[in-house]
Amino acid sequence: VGAYELVAFNPFHGMHTISGRIDYAGQVVSHDILFEDAATVTGQVVGVDGVTPVPDIEVTMTAGQLAGQKQRTDAQGRFRYELVPKGQVTVAAAGPAGGIERVGRTLGYVGTAGQTLDLVVQMKAQGTVTGRVIENFNGVVRPLPFAHYYIQEDSFPFRHLPEEGTWFTTDGQGRYTVSHVYAGQITVVARDSGQVSRLG
């Protein structure tokens, strides 16, 4: 006898809470728990131009407490996910597009029950980063030969080039070139190979 709280949870429909009270011994209280309809997420993967469909490429959707749901796009580059819970939705695509390995990602939000959310995932362009590592030696700016360096992509897919914990090396004139870097903000970090505490 007394107050109680009943909590029902489903990964597709979220959480529903009912509060009630037993007033006397032997009382039977019956509750119907009605979950809201889950949403549907549809969309299309397009190339760097933002128009050309990308067929047969792997797409991964993450939403709420669901693990990543994978599928491949159809001939028109389209995908469809059912039973998507409310909240933020992330859809990422990865694979060869036009003979080049590419990635793309977009974010969305399911705000109402039964909603159909349509998204476009555009594959990212790639470019080449070139530059030179220099030092100021007694007021004279000069190349720093055979310096260590790496590139960090500051946006999706947030790659560290080369792999974390390793470095590229510049040539004898301190020059470097890294191709197939995804479009977006980047950070280049360099250090003196002969005095690794010197960073830039």
Side-chain angles (χ1 to χ4, degrees):
V1 174
Y4 64 86
E5 183 177 78
L6 177 65
V7 180
F9 172 77
N10 180 281
F12 301 106
H13 299 279
M15 186 175 294
H16 198 78
T17 302
I18 294 176
S19 297
R21 182 177 181 83
I22 298 293
D23 295 316
Y24 55 88
Q27 181 183 6
V28 176
V29 179
S30 178
H31 292 287
D32 290 327
I33 299 175
L34 178 62
F35 282 107
E36 297 177 320
D37 289 338
T40 299
V41 174
T42 63
Q44 186 179 39
V45 179
V46 296
V48 175
D49 60 5
V51 177
T52 307
V54 181
D56 194 34
I57 198 163
E58 186 175 85
V59 180
T60 304
M61 183 205 67
T62 54
Q65 298 186 29
L66 292 178
Q69 307 292 303
K70 296 182 184 291
Q71 60 176 257
R72 300 193 77 81
T73 58
D74 64 16
Q76 285 75 47
R78 297 201 63 83
F79 56 86
R80 182 183 182 90
Y81 292 94
E82 306 282 355
L83 295 175
V84 180
K86 286 197 291 187
Q88 181 170 297
V89 173
T90 302
V91 179
I100 299 175
E101 195 72 22
R102 296 193 186 276
V103 298
R105 185 180 72 162
T106 192
L107 306 177
Y109 190 84
V110 174
T112 59
Q115 175 183 354
T116 296
L117 179 65
D118 193 57
L119 301 171
V120 174
V121 181
Q122 183 174 352
M123 303 304 263
K124 296 189 75 171
Q126 293 181 3
T128 299
V129 178
T130 64
R132 192 170 59 143
V133 179
I134 58 175
E135 66 174 342
N136 190 325
F137 183 76
N138 292 333
V140 177
V141 175
R142 65 181 188 183
L144 184 59
F146 310 114
H148 295 155
Y149 71 97
Y150 70 81
I151 290 179
Q152 175 67 53
E153 293 174 341
D154 298 328
S155 59
F156 181 79
F158 304 102
R159 294 183 305 168
H160 184 290
L161 304 170
E163 292 183 2
E164 194 87 36
T166 59
W167 300 75
F168 290 129
T169 303
T170 65
D171 66 13
Q173 295 300 312
R175 297 189 186 93
Y176 62 85
T177 299
V178 179
S179 56
H180 300 294
V181 178
Y182 286 112
Q185 185 75 28
I186 63 161
T187 300
V188 181
V189 177
R191 73 180 184 186
D192 185 344
S193 58
Q195 189 179 347
V196 294
S197 62
R198 296 179 66 208
L199 293 169

